[in-house]
Amino acid sequence: MTDDDPRAGAGFLGTRLRHLLELMEGGVAAAYADLGLPGFRPRFTPILRALASAGDSSIRDLARAVGVTHSAVSQTVAHMVKEDLVKLRTGDDARQRIVTLTPRARRLLPVLDTEWTATTRAAATLDAELSFPLSRVIDEALDALSRRPFRQRIADAATAPPGQAAG
């Protein structure tokens, strides 16, 4: 992509980020399929690893441990229940759901740990090929958005005088 290519600007940022994520997740999913786990979703692994490390956990605690929203973990766990990877039970508070590994998930953990290590190494090789490590850019973007959410940035940009940077 060149500087004069309209895709180089922020206008297609979301589309390009989704494409990057699709390429990376697709590669991980293909690796799982090669291991005899067709249909195993890459987003399952961080939750399984968190449960293996911390033991039975609430959806909220898993969201905190994995670094995604409560809603994202809740949706992922629902898929994992269907795949017989986790079970749900009610916590002390009737509104709280506690997630537990199934025997099937426990049997998969050694394979998933090996694949996790390989995926982490592959990500490091990608970082090494880039002019600026993707992992660092992601961390910086997440930090910046925690300080000032994207919605606020959009609102600021919408009210900024033409030709002036918002913010």
Side-chain angles (χ1 to χ4, degrees), residues 38-106:
F40 188 90
R41 297 178 184 193
R43 65 184 175 166
F44 294 169
T45 305
I47 293 173
L48 292 175
R49 289 174 52 85
L51 287 167
S53 174
D56 297 358
S57 300
S58 69
I59 300 282
R60 181 174 313 317
D61 289 343
L62 284 171
R64 208 173 294 123
V66 175
V68 297
T69 65
H70 182 281
S71 176
V73 170
S74 184
Q75 290 173 20
T76 300
V77 164
H79 290 288
M80 294 172 75
V81 167
K82 292 176 187 174
E83 296 294 325
D84 189 35
L85 296 168
V86 297
K87 291 184 180 185
L88 288 171
R89 64 177 167 79
T90 304
D92 295 335
D93 176 343
R95 296 170 298 172
Q96 187 182 50
R97 294 180 300 159
I98 304 298
V99 185
T100 305
L101 290 173
T102 64
R104 177 177 184 247
R106 290 189 187 286

Side-chain angles (χ1 to χ4, degrees), residues 24 27-28 31-32 35 45 49 110-126:
M24 294 179 75
V28 175
Y32 286 135
L35 293 170
T45 305
R49 289 174 52 85
V111 172
L112 297 175
D113 284 343
T114 299
E115 187 58 32
W116 182 270
T117 300
T119 299
T120 301
R121 288 179 184 155
T125 67
L126 177 61

Side-chain angles (χ1 to χ4, degrees), residues 133-155:
L134 180 61
S135 57
R136 187 168 165 197
V137 172
I138 291 169
D139 288 344
E140 288 182 12
L142 291 170
D143 287 345
L145 291 171
S146 72
R147 289 188 305 274
R148 191 163 130 234
F150 204 61
R151 177 64 189 110
Q152 183 61 50
R153 293 167 190 273
I154 293 169

